[in-house]
């Protein structure tokens, strides 16, 4: 059924195998093949391929280069914490470890080019060499000259080499302001529903028929297609829920062809999966265990976000409350809340033009340490000595990410913080110490 | 040391190694110790006790962590075994990295021990490849990579697999020679991959491929970006390398979702493990170390209160609590010469006989002993009071020590009985935890407490079956105690209970025959039981201060403990500025009325002068005042011209003192008046 890929440079048989491995990506593969030309022909210096996650970019490249046995180097830019690793990997896969070991410590681009040329003249390319760079968007964060140089590496090293950049971001976001060589752009569109169905149906369970699995995929897509089009996720979900789908079959209640009954059986289950396992609230392993026990104790398993309760020492709780108040109340109103004889001041007197919007909508504001401590001493009900452990609690709240430090780490004098907890969290905390936080919040006056 | 060199220059002399003789712990202990002659013995006692406490807590911790560690170990085993399965479902799922989210609570200092034993257990029973990393050593991705690789390579050596050793041999010199230059990380990493890969591909039947476990000790403190990148990299190798993560989480598991976006967290298969809460942990520690007569060393109410409040109010750290206990132990043996008697009964009786004359004199001067003597004098004739003379004195001490040990033996079971009875009452009049009750009992006579009366009242209102169940539990507590009085109490209580039971059955019959008749026999019996308990409490739960020689076992200086454990920097600074003698110990600085002497350091003088000012301080006036004080210190004649004159040196000294005060946060410059500074503290002389 698959469309034939045709190209004069390669054997029919191989092209056929490639086509089988690349369902629904024939157009793109064909385009790439014609761009690449015959192995010995000189190719375009750089190609930029973009498309969403799991739209088959790396897969297509891998299959093409492997099956057609072309010399290539594949580099993931996440892994290259320095350019040295990048250069090394390229040299390693083209010329072996001799070349890689020639690189000096912290090599520059010209070192790389020099060594490349040296080895290239010893073993000149019979075929086009390909360098595939995955997650190319990370190249933008490296040295400014790296990306433009890579794009015209062919000229620099004087070799038949092509750079293929793979990214999820469009080329416009890459273009350096100094300008550079424009690569050929190639877009991988998202898979359509039909295509997803076709691809997912391929990894069928060995002990069931292909039609049966295909009908299962159809049901699965019916539920999940509206929220998720990521092929990898869908494949994962399909694998997780298949055993449940087969349950009535194993019990002998339903025949393989009775799709309606099967659908009725699986549909609520899939909906539940959408709320839990898809969001990674529940891990796949737990999900499988859940399927096995089922019925008996449903809902016994709580997701990750259900565990929000945090136990804190007594003063840490009050420090956190004070931080929350300092973050969400304007500093002018502190008098009103924390002074004994503040008189009756209505909210309208306080109101400034820009403060009509709720502070909770605007998010937490930074506050200095002094203010935090002043509020702390007035909300905590007993007299607290300003001991070292109070201060160390503030910094441990910062490491626990309940507070965030706004000022720079080097600034020892009057550091500034922000409170990073939610309203619900702080309400729960203040309930445990019998503190009515709502009364002290300007927004709820 | 000299050099014969014509030219001038700098020469480095390395200090010769064996010059300094390091003082042993014991020397430190006896240095400045009260009554040095017995210090050796006391040091030994102290160390024995501490060793026992340490080993006991370690065992305790292991026991408490056993459950969670076992389940973690199971998890790792399961993960590595499911990887080997080749059925359809697990193959489809193989791309996820198994991850254990270990929620440990906010008491971060305690976690070290847990992770230590976890990685030891993992290395013993599951896999040699364990690397644990901390956030502070992994600021950037390359540092994280480096740490992980270092630790994995280090552990590789122990494996006696042929290929693995080969890889090790080639890789170790490599990374040693270039000192982990970044260039080499990748090949090293790949080499560490290859043994696993090579082994698994030719021999599929190889049953277990040990997983590579990476432990992130404090997940919250990691830079999210670093973590994300690291996970992305790892997921590229998951098919070849059986990786596994363990996240140590201090707050709540939802932090994972805050830190990792969906695209990254979808690469993980997270399972949750919740550890015991730290309050429970502390309760067990107190139960084992403090509420027992096995340890002769005791804390009085105030010290225990200080340690407890540091735990509950400040850090939740059990480790710090034990450190506090250690400090109290050390201080007690260091400062109290009579602590030679703070040991097991047998040894204590022996030690009494070996007490020196001065020690015996010390005993005579103990407040508790004076009280005892007075009562003896009042109660008996002069002939018996002679018994307190020198010869029989040691026997009397022995008797008293015995009495103290007996008191401890009886105290704890009765305390537990009272706690079982009162801990289930509504609104907990005597506290929910046994430690709260213990504190009440340590402070004063518990039966005079109002809460005790209400508790007793509530107990009288309990339903029969509840009361019987509670009494039953009391019996269980009293049963194993080896002490005459407790044996008696146990027998009496069981008698009471059996009568209860009998009457209980007859009650049912009676109820059937004659309805709503008076139930007086039960009330009588209940009153009897409670009376009995009340007597138990009154005879055994008296506070330790009322017992003679309690000073031997009880550490009382709560102020010392507080000063050492809960430092107050501001108070110290103010103390230093107010009375420099306190820290400098120079006799010239000694003053009587709390004022600062003229020869005090500049900053003290400036501080003292600034206390006399209002909110804004005129710098020039301040300088003049300062110059006057300093001139007086130099002994200049008050009538001379130079007196109080500001010269350059004084000016400079003043400026330095002012800037030091600013640094300490007492003053700051203000925009209101250019030649003024603002005070940041309240109050004056």
């Amino acid at each position: 059924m698959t469309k034939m890929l045709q190209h004069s440079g390669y054997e029919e048989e191989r092209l056929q195998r490639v086509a089988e491995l690349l369902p629904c990506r024939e157009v793109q593969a064909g385009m790439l093949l014609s761009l690449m030309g015959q192995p010995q022909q000189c190719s375009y210096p750089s190609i930029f391929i973009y498309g969403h996650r799991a739209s088959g970019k790396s897969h297509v490249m891998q299959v093409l280069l492997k099956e057609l046995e072309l010399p290539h180097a594949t580099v993931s830019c996440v892994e290259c914490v320095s350019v040295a690793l990048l250069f090394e990997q390229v040299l390693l896969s083209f010329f072996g470890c001799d070349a890689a070991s020639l690189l000096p410590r912290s090599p520059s681009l010209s070192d790389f080019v020099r060594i490349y040329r040296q080895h290239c003249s010893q073993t000149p390319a019979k075929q086009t060499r390909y360098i595939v760079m995955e997650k190319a968007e990370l190249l933008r964060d490296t040295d400014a000259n790296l990306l433009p140089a890579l794009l015209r590496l062919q000229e620099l090293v004087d070799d038949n080499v092509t750079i293929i950049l793979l990214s999820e971001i469009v080329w416009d976001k890459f273009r350096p302001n100094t300008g550079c060589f424009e690569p050929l752009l190639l877009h991988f569109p998202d898979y359509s529903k039909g295509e997803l169905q076709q691809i997912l149906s391929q990894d069928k369970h060995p002990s069931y028929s292909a039609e049966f699995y295909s009908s299962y995929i159809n049901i699965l897509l019916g539920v999940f297609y509206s929220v998720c089009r990521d092929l990898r996720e869908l494949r994962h979900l399909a694998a997780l829920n298949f055993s449940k789908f087969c349950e009535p079959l194993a019990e002998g209640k339903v025949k393989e062809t009775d799709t309606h009954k099967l659908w009725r059986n699986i549909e609520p289950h899939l909906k539940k999966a959408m709320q839990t396992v898809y969001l990674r609230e529940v891990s796949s392993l737990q999900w499988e265990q859940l399927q096995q026990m089922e019925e008996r104790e449903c809902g016994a398993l709580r997701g990750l976000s259900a565990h929000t309760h945090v136990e804190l020492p007594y003063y840490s709780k009050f420090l956190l409350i004070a931080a929350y108040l300092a973050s969400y109340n304007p500093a002018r109103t502190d008098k009103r809340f924390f002074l004994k004889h503040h008189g009756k001041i209505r909210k309208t007197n306080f109101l400034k033009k820009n403060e009509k919007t709720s502070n909770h909508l605007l998010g937490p504001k930074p506050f200095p340490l002094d203010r935090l401590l002043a509020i702390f001493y007035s909300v905590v009900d007993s007299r607290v000595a300003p001991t070292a452990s109070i201060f160390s609690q503030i910094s441990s709240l910062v490491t626990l990410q309940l507070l965030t430090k706004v000022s720079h780490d080097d600034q020892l004098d009057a550091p500034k913080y922000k409170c990073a907890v939610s309203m619900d969290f702080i309400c729960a905390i203040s309930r445990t110490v019998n503190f009515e936080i709502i009364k002290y919040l300007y927004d709820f006056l | 040391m000299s050099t014969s060199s014509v030219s001038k220059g700098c020469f480095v002399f390395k200090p010769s190694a064996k010059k300094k003789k390091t003082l042993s712990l014991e020397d430190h202990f006896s240095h400045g110790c009260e009554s040095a002659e017995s210090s050796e013995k006391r040091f030994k006692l102290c160390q024995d006790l501490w060793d026992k406490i340490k080993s006991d807590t370690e065992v305790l911790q292991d026991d408490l962590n056993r459950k969670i560690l076992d389940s973690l170990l199971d998890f790792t085993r399961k993960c590595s075994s499911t990887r080997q399965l080749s059925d359809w479902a697990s193959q489809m799922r193989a791309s996820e990295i198994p991850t254990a989210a270990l929620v440990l609570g906010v008491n971060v200092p305690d976690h070290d021990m847990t992770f230590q034993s976890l990685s030891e257990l993992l290395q013993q029973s599951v896999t040699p490849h364990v690397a644990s990393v901390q956030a502070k050593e992994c600021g950037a991705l390359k540092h994280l990579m480096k740490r992980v690789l270092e630790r994995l390579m280090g552990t590789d050596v122990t494996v006696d697999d042929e290929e693995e050793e080969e890889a090790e041999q080639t890789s170790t010199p490599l990374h040693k020679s270039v000192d982990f230059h970044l260039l080499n990380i990748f090949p090293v990493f790949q080499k560490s991959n290859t043994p696993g890969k090579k082994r698994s591909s030719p021999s599929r039947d190889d049953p277990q491929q040990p997983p590579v476990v990476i432990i992130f000790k404090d997940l919250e403190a990691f830079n999210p970006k670093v973590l994300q990148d690291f996970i992305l990299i790892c997921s590229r190798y998951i098919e070849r390398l059986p990786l596994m993560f363990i996240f140590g989480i201090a707050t709540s598991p939802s932090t994972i979702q805050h830190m990792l976006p969906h695209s990254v967290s979808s690469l993980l298969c997270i399972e949750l493990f919740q550890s015991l809460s730290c309050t429970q942990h502390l309760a067990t520690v107190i139960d084992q170390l403090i509420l027992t007569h096995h340890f002769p060393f005791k804390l009085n109410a105030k010290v225990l209160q200080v340690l407890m409040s540091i735990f509950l109010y400040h850090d939740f750290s059990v480790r710090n609590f034990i450190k506090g206990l250690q400090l109290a132990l050390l201080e007690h043996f260091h400062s109290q010469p009579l602590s030679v008697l703070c040991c097991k009964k047998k040894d204590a009786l022996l030690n009494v006989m070996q007490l020196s004359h001065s020690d015996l004199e010390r005993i005579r001067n103990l407040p508790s002993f004076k009280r005892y003597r007075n009562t003896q004098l009042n109660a008996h004739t002069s002939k018996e009071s002679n018994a307190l003379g020198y010869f029989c004195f040691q026997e009397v001490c022995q008797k008293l020590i015995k009495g103290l040990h007996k008191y401890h033996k009886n105290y704890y079971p009765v305390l537990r009985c009272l706690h079982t009875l009162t801990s289930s009452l509504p609104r907990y009049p005597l506290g929910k935890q046994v430690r709260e009750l213990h504190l009440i009992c340590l402070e004063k006579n518990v039966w005079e407490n109002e809460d005790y009366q209400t508790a007793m009242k509530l107990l009288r209102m309990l339903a029969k079956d509840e009361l019987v169940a509670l009494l039953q539990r009391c019996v269980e507590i009293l049963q194993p105690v080896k002490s005459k009085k407790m044996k008696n109490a146990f027998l009496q209580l069981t008698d009471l209970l059996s009568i209860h039971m009998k009457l209980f059955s007859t009650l049912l019959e009676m109820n059937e025959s004659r309805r709503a008749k008076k139930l007086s026999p039960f009330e009588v019996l209940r009153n009897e039981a409670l009376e009995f308990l009340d007597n138990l409490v009154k005879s055994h739960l008296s506070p330790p201060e009322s017992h003679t020689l309690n000073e031997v076992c009880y550490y009382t200086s709560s102020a010392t403990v507080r000063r050492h454990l809960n430092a107050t920097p501001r108070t110290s600074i103010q103390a230093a500025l107010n009375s420099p003698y306190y820290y400098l110990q120079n006799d010239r600085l000694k003053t009587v009325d709390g004022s600062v002497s003229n020869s005090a350091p500049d900053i003290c003088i400036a501080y003292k002068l600034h206390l006399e000012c209002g909110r804004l301080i005129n710098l020039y006036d301040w300088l003049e005042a300062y110059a006057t004080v300093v001139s007086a210190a130099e002994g200049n004649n008050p009538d001379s011209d130079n007196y109080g004159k500001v010269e350059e040196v004084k000016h400079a000294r003043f400026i330095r003192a002012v800037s030091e005060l600013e640094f300490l946060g007492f003053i700051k410059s203000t925009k209101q008046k250019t030649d003024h500074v603002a005070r940041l503290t309240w109050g004056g002389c």
Side-chain angles (χ1 to χ4, degrees), chain B residues 521-534:
Chain B
F522 302 98
E523 275 159 18
V524 168
L525 208 60
R526 180 174 58 196
N527 288 348
E528 212 171 294
L530 289 177
E531 194 99 328
F532 172 71
L533 273 169
D534 195 38

Side-chain angles (χ1 to χ4, degrees), chain A residues 110-170:
Chain A
S110 59
D111 286 327
F112 170 67
V113 170
R114 180 173 52 80
I115 293 170
Y116 192 103
R117 290 187 88 136
Q118 196 182 325
H119 281 264
C120 176
S121 59
Q122 286 164 14
T123 50
K126 294 190 192 75
Q127 298 179 321
T128 315
R129 292 180 171 129
Y130 294 96
I131 302 175
V132 182
M133 317 212 66
E134 291 171 3
K135 298 208 188 296
E137 56 268 20
L138 290 166
L139 285 177
R140 296 178 301 171
D141 304 331
T142 54
D143 300 342
N145 66 352
L146 185 63
L147 183 62
L150 283 178
L151 287 172
R152 49 203 313 170
L153 190 69
Q154 200 174 63
E155 291 171 46
L156 280 172
V157 297
D158 209 6
D159 184 28
N160 187 5
V161 63
T162 294
I163 295 269
I164 299 172
L165 301 170
L166 307 181
S167 174
E168 291 174 25
I169 302 178
V170 291

Side-chain angles (χ1 to χ4, degrees), chain A residues 371-405:
Chain A
R371 193 170 161 226
L372 170 71
L373 286 177
I375 296 179
F376 169 71
Y377 287 123
S378 74
V379 291
V380 79
D381 46 4
S382 55
R383 254 192 82 232
V384 191
T387 59
S389 50
I390 295 282
F391 292 101
S392 74
Q393 277 179 63
I394 296 176
S395 41
S396 63
L397 284 176
V398 173
T399 43
L400 294 178
Q401 297 191 340
L402 299 172
L403 294 186
T404 39
K405 197 167 180 179

Side-chain angles (χ1 to χ4, degrees), chain B residues 100-116:
Chain B
L102 184 58
V103 183
L104 289 163
V106 295
N107 46 335
V108 183
D110 294 353
H111 298 174
D112 269 349
M113 229 164 139
T114 316
F115 282 118
Q116 182 85 36

Side-chain angles (χ1 to χ4, degrees), chain A residues 261-295:
Chain A
K261 267 194 183 158
L262 284 171
W263 178 77
R264 279 243 304 271
N265 176 47
I266 193 74
E267 213 241 345
H269 187 74
L270 290 179
K271 288 236 164 97
K272 202 170 131 203
M274 189 151 72
Q275 286 157 10
T276 54
V277 71
Y278 169 61
L279 296 174
R280 290 306 191 281
E281 283 279 296
V282 169
S283 77
S284 50
L285 210 67
Q286 285 172 316
W287 181 247
E288 276 180 6
Q289 283 163 5
L290 200 70
Q291 285 178 343
Q292 276 154 24
M293 39 194 207
E294 204 57 50
E295 320 312 337

Side-chain angles (χ1 to χ4, degrees), chain A residues 11 35 42 51 56 76 101 112-113 129 144 155 183 193 222 226 245 302 331 335 340 342 357 370 382 406 414 440:
Chain A
E11 298 159 32
L35 278 177
C42 200
S76 169
S101 58
F112 170 67
V113 170
R129 292 180 171 129
E155 291 171 46
K193 195 172 178 181
S226 54
F245 184 69
R302 294 192 301 159
K335 238 186 192 173
K340 264 186 188 148
H342 55 77
T357 42
D370 305 349
S382 55
V406 185
Y440 288 87

